Amino acid sequence: MRLTVALREARRRGLLGHNIGNTPFNFDVEIRLGAGAFVCGEETALLASNRGQAGYAQAAPALSAVSGLWAGPTLINNVETFANIAPIIRKGGRWFASMGSERSKAPRSSRSPARSPTPAWWKCHGIKLRQIIEGIGGGVPDGHTFKAVQTGGPSGGCLPAEMLDIGVSYDALVKWARIMGSGGMVVMDDTPAWSTWRASSSNSA
């Protein structure tokens, strides 16, 4: 795992561990692998998973920043949130807030499928769906026709072809009764497998 190698190298260079930079400051990073359950993205389930327990969501008795993992103060955020800290410190909050749409500030990072011409990318809120799917994602493969895109993960909804030119942001998607969620997207084309999936999803709804 690349992250494991990077942490090992950081410790070797004295950037992690005890007395960093010949100062009294101690800081380390540990990787813990969970079961990969979707529910472990929820705060209390993630804390339980880190304690070696089953990842079930529970009633939160207190803010995790006050009493979290092993009753200690704990910050729970995704990697993207932590990755934004350094550029905000370097360039300031005003610079960060200058990107994006009116009510959905700052950029979003994501990763496209391996066959995409741009596997990893960083774009601002407000980018058109068409730009994401056709430009960054490389379009629908093998000459098939685009039918719909699901946004927001399992809790999201589908946007048809006639909505390809809407800007992707929290507020824009809410106007169409959709959500951004984690920022994930699933593109569906006109192949029989996707047509069957869409029909069964519509019927069950």
Side-chain angles (χ1 to χ4, degrees):
M1 183 185 291
R2 292 180 181 178
L3 191 53
T4 300
V5 174
L7 292 176
R8 187 184 304 125
E9 180 66 13
R11 291 190 188 96
R12 188 183 71 81
R13 293 174 179 239
L15 301 175
L16 285 177
H18 294 283
N19 306 119
I20 296 173
N22 296 319
T23 70
F25 181 65
N26 303 324
F27 182 78
D28 209 343
V29 175
E30 177 184 351
I31 300 174
R32 284 180 171 259
L33 297 178
F38 180 78
V39 70
C40 286
E42 192 275 334
E43 181 174 312
T44 58
L46 181 61
L47 289 173
S49 180
N50 271 275
R51 290 192 293 263
Q53 302 168 348
Y56 293 115
Q58 308 164 32
L63 292 173
S64 60
V66 176
S67 178
L69 190 61
W70 296 300
T74 308
L75 289 179
I76 298 180
N77 286 284
N78 59 39
V79 173
E80 181 182 24
T81 300
F82 286 123
N84 283 325
I85 294 174
I88 291 173
I89 292 174
R90 286 198 305 267
K91 299 186 177 182
R94 185 173 297 177
W95 164 81
F96 194 71
S98 69
M99 297 178 282
S101 62
E102 182 180 353
R103 298 188 60 188
S104 297
K105 302 295 184 181
R108 290 297 304 267
S109 60
S110 189
R111 185 180 184 279
S112 302
R115 66 187 299 167
S116 166
T118 313
W121 48 279
W122 198 61
K123 291 290 183 181
C124 294
H125 288 292
I127 184 175
K128 306 293 186 186
L129 265 175
R130 187 182 301 277
Q131 290 176 270
I132 296 174
I133 295 168
E134 297 179 0
I136 297 172
V140 179
D142 304 323
H144 289 287
T145 302
F146 172 85
K147 286 291 187 179
V149 57
Q150 182 199 25
T151 66
S155 301
C158 295
L159 297 168
E162 54 267 28
M163 298 178 69
L164 268 175
D165 289 309
I166 71 168
V168 179
S169 64
Y170 292 106
D171 44 320
L173 291 176
V174 166
K175 289 180 182 177
W176 296 99
R178 306 294 190 270
I179 62 171
M180 181 174 289
S182 62
M185 293 184 183
V186 178
V187 176
M188 293 164 269
D189 58 28
D190 58 352
T191 55
W194 278 122
S195 299
T196 302
W197 182 88
R198 291 184 67 207
S200 62
S201 298
S202 299
N203 291 337
S204 64

